[in-house]
Amino acid sequence: MSSETVIGVDVSRDWLDGFCLPEKQRFRFQNSPDGHARLLETLQSMPDGLTVGFEATGGQEWALWRVLISMGLNAVQLPPAQIKAFALAMGKRAKTDQIDAELIARFMAFRPEAGRTLPDEKLQFLRALTVRRAQMVEARKRLSAQISARRKQGVSAELEDMDSSLKAFLESQISELEQRIESVIGEAEELSAKAELLRSIPGIGPVSVAMLLAEMPELGRMTATEAAAMTGLAPMAHDSGAMRGKRVISGGRRSLRHVLFQAGLAAACHNPVLKAVAKRMKERGKPHKLVIVAIARRLITIANAILKTGVPWRISSAA
């Protein structure tokens, strides 16, 4: 357990609820520039060397995060799944903003090494673009399903024209976002060098490259096991006594897991080494989904090794 001062902040759209350890002090400020300034005043009255942590909330914490970092404070973003698991372990079933803030603080005291640091501005912008692209792709997917359903119902030509126009708009937005993503990667020397290494791996395409750079900047500085766990591709044991449960994947960064699953499908067909691995697994009667997850897990470990060594993919890289 850490004996240093830690601050857990539950960030919502309108409020910042905080809990300080070991003093057990609580505070509440508005999630606004004025509230951020008042929070900074409170933190500056505390001992040096404190750490502030908050859950990933889909972007509502980013403004506060930037302010804290600009003032030289140590501020980290924590995965909500870890806080939820910690709450269950502590026997906490009630949920309020004040309870969540205390749980975040106690989790940080228990796991002081946990959390992500704020990415640089290029990575922040790249992540914003990849998130926006994913939203547009999802909207296009939903629209395509709606168009298919309406065609079966015999919709009028007027609605068909509206659907076509909207789909064309989404297509153009996705194309524009992909061009901007490529531009951002190309303008940053470090990102460009990493992207070139990742593109050398058969099965990893432009979308996977952008997502890995934006969502997993730690790649290349971790172990293979850590890389698989961070993407949610590591099989988790469910054993107890003589019972041997089915291994399943869970947790990790969901958006990455989805993209890597698609990359696994491509690698199982086009990567000369992983294609052979997939074939052997299928011959042993392994289910299709299990095979693709295993290939995706191999892909992320290969990507991690290649970024670590700085050597492009070759057949021996996947051996």
Side-chain angles (χ1 to χ4, degrees), residues 180-196:
R180 296 187 70 182
I181 287 169
E182 286 298 314
S183 177
V184 169
I185 293 173
E187 290 169 1
E189 186 177 345
E190 183 181 356
L191 290 178
S192 181
K194 286 184 174 181
E196 188 174 351

